[in-house]
mmCIF file of all heavy atoms in Angstrom:
data_model
loop_
_atom_site.group_PDB
_atom_site.id
_atom_site.type_symbol
_atom_site.label_atom_id
_atom_site.label_comp_id
_atom_site.label_asym_id
_atom_site.label_seq_id
_atom_site.Cartn_x
_atom_site.Cartn_y
_atom_site.Cartn_z
ATOM 1 N N LEU A 57 -75.402 -137.850 -137.983
ATOM 2 C CA LEU A 57 -76.718 -137.946 -138.648
ATOM 3 C C LEU A 57 -76.558 -137.383 -140.044
ATOM 4 O O LEU A 57 -76.063 -136.326 -140.273
ATOM 5 C CB LEU A 57 -77.781 -137.146 -137.875
ATOM 6 C CG LEU A 57 -78.028 -137.562 -136.436
ATOM 7 C CD1 LEU A 57 -79.029 -136.586 -135.803
ATOM 8 C CD2 LEU A 57 -78.455 -138.979 -136.334
ATOM 9 N N CYS A 74 -85.627 -139.511 -138.807
ATOM 10 C CA CYS A 74 -84.863 -139.914 -137.625
ATOM 11 C C CYS A 74 -85.085 -138.895 -136.523
ATOM 12 O O CYS A 74 -85.532 -137.770 -136.784
ATOM 13 C CB CYS A 74 -83.367 -140.015 -137.953
ATOM 14 S SG CYS A 74 -82.574 -138.458 -138.245
ATOM 15 N N PRO A 75 -84.912 -139.304 -135.300
ATOM 16 C CA PRO A 75 -85.082 -138.363 -134.189
ATOM 17 C C PRO A 75 -84.097 -137.191 -134.365
ATOM 18 O O PRO A 75 -82.955 -137.394 -134.668
ATOM 19 C CB PRO A 75 -84.682 -139.188 -132.939
ATOM 20 C CG PRO A 75 -84.825 -140.587 -133.369
ATOM 21 C CD PRO A 75 -84.537 -140.646 -134.841
ATOM 22 N N ARG A 76 -84.613 -135.974 -134.217
ATOM 23 C CA ARG A 76 -83.800 -134.794 -134.393
ATOM 24 C C ARG A 76 -83.656 -133.875 -133.192
ATOM 25 O O ARG A 76 -82.820 -133.052 -133.116
ATOM 26 C CB ARG A 76 -84.341 -133.957 -135.609
ATOM 27 C CG ARG A 76 -84.294 -134.691 -136.897
ATOM 28 C CD ARG A 76 -85.097 -134.007 -137.906
ATOM 29 N NE ARG A 76 -86.510 -134.133 -137.474
ATOM 30 C CZ ARG A 76 -87.557 -133.616 -138.134
ATOM 31 N NH1 ARG A 76 -87.352 -132.867 -139.157
ATOM 32 N NH2 ARG A 76 -88.762 -133.801 -137.678
ATOM 33 N N THR A 77 -84.527 -134.021 -132.227
ATOM 34 C CA THR A 77 -84.470 -133.213 -131.054
ATOM 35 C C THR A 77 -84.109 -134.098 -129.857
ATOM 36 O O THR A 77 -84.219 -135.321 -129.897
ATOM 37 C CB THR A 77 -85.827 -132.505 -130.770
ATOM 38 O OG1 THR A 77 -86.777 -133.548 -130.442
ATOM 39 C CG2 THR A 77 -86.299 -131.694 -131.929
ATOM 40 N N ILE A 78 -83.685 -133.481 -128.737
ATOM 41 C CA ILE A 78 -83.397 -134.220 -127.534
ATOM 42 C C ILE A 78 -84.607 -135.007 -127.115
ATOM 43 O O ILE A 78 -84.483 -136.186 -126.731
ATOM 44 C CB ILE A 78 -82.859 -133.272 -126.420
ATOM 45 C CG1 ILE A 78 -81.539 -132.705 -126.850
ATOM 46 C CG2 ILE A 78 -82.775 -134.030 -125.085
ATOM 47 C CD1 ILE A 78 -81.030 -131.591 -125.937
ATOM 48 N N LYS A 79 -85.748 -134.374 -127.071
ATOM 49 C CA LYS A 79 -86.955 -135.078 -126.645
ATOM 50 C C LYS A 79 -87.245 -136.272 -127.517
ATOM 51 O O LYS A 79 -87.605 -137.347 -127.021
ATOM 52 C CB LYS A 79 -88.136 -134.046 -126.726
ATOM 53 C CG LYS A 79 -89.430 -134.591 -126.149
ATOM 54 C CD LYS A 79 -90.533 -133.535 -126.122
ATOM 55 C CE LYS A 79 -91.795 -134.089 -125.638
ATOM 56 N NZ LYS A 79 -92.851 -133.042 -125.619
ATOM 57 N N GLU A 80 -87.091 -136.155 -128.860
ATOM 58 C CA GLU A 80 -87.313 -137.274 -129.770
ATOM 59 C C GLU A 80 -86.343 -138.372 -129.522
ATOM 60 O O GLU A 80 -86.709 -139.571 -129.483
ATOM 61 C CB GLU A 80 -87.266 -136.794 -131.258
ATOM 62 C CG GLU A 80 -88.409 -135.908 -131.609
ATOM 63 C CD GLU A 80 -88.249 -135.300 -133.008
ATOM 64 O OE1 GLU A 80 -87.127 -135.302 -133.563
ATOM 65 O OE2 GLU A 80 -89.267 -134.799 -133.539
ATOM 66 N N VAL A 81 -85.057 -138.054 -129.376
ATOM 67 C CA VAL A 81 -84.063 -139.101 -129.143
ATOM 68 C C VAL A 81 -84.319 -139.828 -127.840
ATOM 69 O O VAL A 81 -84.250 -141.078 -127.790
ATOM 70 C CB VAL A 81 -82.647 -138.452 -129.170
ATOM 71 C CG1 VAL A 81 -81.577 -139.449 -128.690
ATOM 72 C CG2 VAL A 81 -82.243 -137.907 -130.538
ATOM 73 N N GLU A 82 -84.588 -139.081 -126.792
ATOM 74 C CA GLU A 82 -84.880 -139.743 -125.514
ATOM 75 C C GLU A 82 -86.171 -140.599 -125.627
ATOM 76 O O GLU A 82 -86.171 -141.692 -125.016
ATOM 77 C CB GLU A 82 -85.029 -138.696 -124.421
ATOM 78 C CG GLU A 82 -83.668 -138.046 -124.071
ATOM 79 C CD GLU A 82 -83.803 -136.898 -123.057
ATOM 80 O OE1 GLU A 82 -84.909 -136.383 -122.841
ATOM 81 O OE2 GLU A 82 -82.774 -136.536 -122.495
ATOM 82 N N HIS A 83 -87.128 -140.157 -126.354
ATOM 83 C CA HIS A 83 -88.334 -140.950 -126.515
ATOM 84 C C HIS A 83 -88.031 -142.322 -127.144
ATOM 85 O O HIS A 83 -88.447 -143.362 -126.684
ATOM 86 C CB HIS A 83 -89.337 -140.177 -127.404
ATOM 87 C CG HIS A 83 -90.534 -140.954 -127.829
ATOM 88 N ND1 HIS A 83 -91.578 -141.237 -126.968
ATOM 89 C CD2 HIS A 83 -90.858 -141.489 -129.000
ATOM 90 C CE1 HIS A 83 -92.446 -141.965 -127.659
ATOM 91 N NE2 HIS A 83 -92.058 -142.104 -128.885
ATOM 92 N N VAL A 84 -87.247 -142.317 -128.208
ATOM 93 C CA VAL A 84 -86.832 -143.535 -128.926
ATOM 94 C C VAL A 84 -85.933 -144.374 -128.044
ATOM 95 O O VAL A 84 -86.106 -145.580 -127.988
ATOM 96 C CB VAL A 84 -86.133 -143.188 -130.264
ATOM 97 C CG1 VAL A 84 -85.557 -144.458 -130.877
ATOM 98 C CG2 VAL A 84 -87.137 -142.525 -131.213
ATOM 99 N N MET A 85 -85.036 -143.796 -127.256
ATOM 100 C CA MET A 85 -84.175 -144.559 -126.425
ATOM 101 C C MET A 85 -84.942 -145.262 -125.280
ATOM 102 O O MET A 85 -84.547 -146.322 -124.816
ATOM 103 C CB MET A 85 -83.099 -143.645 -125.798
ATOM 104 C CG MET A 85 -82.071 -143.221 -126.817
ATOM 105 S SD MET A 85 -80.867 -142.066 -126.132
ATOM 106 C CE MET A 85 -79.977 -143.144 -125.034
ATOM 107 N N TRP A 90 -91.573 -144.857 -133.334
ATOM 108 C CA TRP A 90 -91.044 -143.932 -134.279
ATOM 109 C C TRP A 90 -91.568 -144.229 -135.644
ATOM 110 O O TRP A 90 -91.659 -145.434 -135.972
ATOM 111 C CB TRP A 90 -89.518 -143.925 -134.252
ATOM 112 C CG TRP A 90 -88.989 -142.765 -135.007
ATOM 113 C CD1 TRP A 90 -88.517 -142.797 -136.335
ATOM 114 C CD2 TRP A 90 -88.925 -141.399 -134.599
ATOM 115 N NE1 TRP A 90 -88.152 -141.556 -136.703
ATOM 116 C CE2 TRP A 90 -88.418 -140.710 -135.712
ATOM 117 C CE3 TRP A 90 -89.259 -140.755 -133.445
ATOM 118 C CZ2 TRP A 90 -88.241 -139.297 -135.630
ATOM 119 C CZ3 TRP A 90 -89.105 -139.407 -133.386
ATOM 120 C CH2 TRP A 90 -88.573 -138.678 -134.462
ATOM 121 N N PRO A 92 -92.880 -140.241 -134.827
ATOM 122 C CA PRO A 92 -93.906 -139.740 -133.872
ATOM 123 C C PRO A 92 -95.175 -139.258 -134.587
ATOM 124 O O PRO A 92 -95.131 -138.997 -135.764
ATOM 125 C CB PRO A 92 -93.184 -138.574 -133.191
ATOM 126 C CG PRO A 92 -92.265 -138.059 -134.248
ATOM 127 C CD PRO A 92 -91.769 -139.287 -134.981
ATOM 128 N N CYS A 94 -96.638 -136.506 -133.711
ATOM 129 C CA CYS A 94 -96.532 -135.043 -133.763
ATOM 130 C C CYS A 94 -95.056 -134.696 -134.030
ATOM 131 O O CYS A 94 -94.164 -135.131 -133.253
ATOM 132 C CB CYS A 94 -97.016 -134.401 -132.473
ATOM 133 S SG CYS A 94 -96.830 -132.647 -132.422
ATOM 134 N N ASP A 95 -94.752 -133.920 -135.053
ATOM 135 C CA ASP A 95 -93.392 -133.500 -135.342
ATOM 136 C C ASP A 95 -93.040 -132.392 -134.395
ATOM 137 O O ASP A 95 -93.619 -131.291 -134.372
ATOM 138 C CB ASP A 95 -93.317 -133.010 -136.785
ATOM 139 C CG ASP A 95 -91.876 -132.851 -137.226
ATOM 140 O OD1 ASP A 95 -90.935 -132.732 -136.396
ATOM 141 O OD2 ASP A 95 -91.650 -132.723 -138.463
ATOM 142 N N GLU A 96 -92.016 -132.590 -133.544
ATOM 143 C CA GLU A 96 -91.526 -131.609 -132.573
ATOM 144 C C GLU A 96 -90.944 -130.355 -133.228
ATOM 145 O O GLU A 96 -91.041 -129.269 -132.642
ATOM 146 C CB GLU A 96 -90.474 -132.219 -131.646
ATOM 147 C CG GLU A 96 -90.992 -133.319 -130.716
ATOM 148 C CD GLU A 96 -91.749 -132.710 -129.563
ATOM 149 O OE1 GLU A 96 -91.353 -131.661 -129.038
ATOM 150 O OE2 GLU A 96 -92.777 -133.310 -129.228
ATOM 151 N N MET A 97 -90.271 -130.499 -134.351
ATOM 152 C CA MET A 97 -89.563 -129.412 -134.994
ATOM 153 C C MET A 97 -89.896 -129.392 -136.479
ATOM 154 O O MET A 97 -89.029 -129.695 -137.317
ATOM 155 C CB MET A 97 -88.085 -129.509 -134.786
ATOM 156 C CG MET A 97 -87.610 -129.439 -133.329
ATOM 157 S SD MET A 97 -87.709 -127.795 -132.642
ATOM 158 C CE MET A 97 -86.415 -126.942 -133.490
ATOM 159 N N PRO A 98 -91.088 -129.023 -136.918
ATOM 160 C CA PRO A 98 -91.411 -129.059 -138.347
ATOM 161 C C PRO A 98 -90.483 -128.138 -139.187
ATOM 162 O O PRO A 98 -90.277 -128.420 -140.354
ATOM 163 C CB PRO A 98 -92.848 -128.590 -138.370
ATOM 164 C CG PRO A 98 -93.117 -127.962 -137.110
ATOM 165 C CD PRO A 98 -92.196 -128.563 -136.082
ATOM 166 N N GLU A 99 -89.871 -127.108 -138.550
ATOM 167 C CA GLU A 99 -88.987 -126.244 -139.277
ATOM 168 C C GLU A 99 -87.693 -126.926 -139.677
ATOM 169 O O GLU A 99 -86.971 -126.421 -140.523
ATOM 170 C CB GLU A 99 -88.675 -124.992 -138.484
ATOM 171 C CG GLU A 99 -87.964 -125.206 -137.171
ATOM 172 C CD GLU A 99 -88.856 -125.446 -135.981
ATOM 173 O OE1 GLU A 99 -90.009 -125.784 -136.123
ATOM 174 O OE2 GLU A 99 -88.374 -125.342 -134.856
ATOM 175 N N LEU A 100 -87.415 -128.138 -139.170
ATOM 176 C CA LEU A 100 -86.258 -128.872 -139.554
ATOM 177 C C LEU A 100 -86.459 -129.683 -140.818
ATOM 178 O O LEU A 100 -85.574 -130.315 -141.339
ATOM 179 C CB LEU A 100 -85.796 -129.774 -138.437
ATOM 180 C CG LEU A 100 -85.209 -129.115 -137.207
ATOM 181 C CD1 LEU A 100 -84.844 -130.161 -136.156
ATOM 182 C CD2 LEU A 100 -84.060 -128.220 -137.513
#
Side-chain angles (χ1 to χ4, degrees):
L57 300 177
C74 69
R76 296 166 292 178
T77 66
I78 293 171
K79 185 175 179 180
E80 291 174 343
V81 170
E82 289 176 345
H83 171 76
V84 171
M85 289 177 69
W90 191 261
C94 178
D95 191 344
E96 291 284 322
M97 298 286 292
E99 62 272 18
L100 293 179

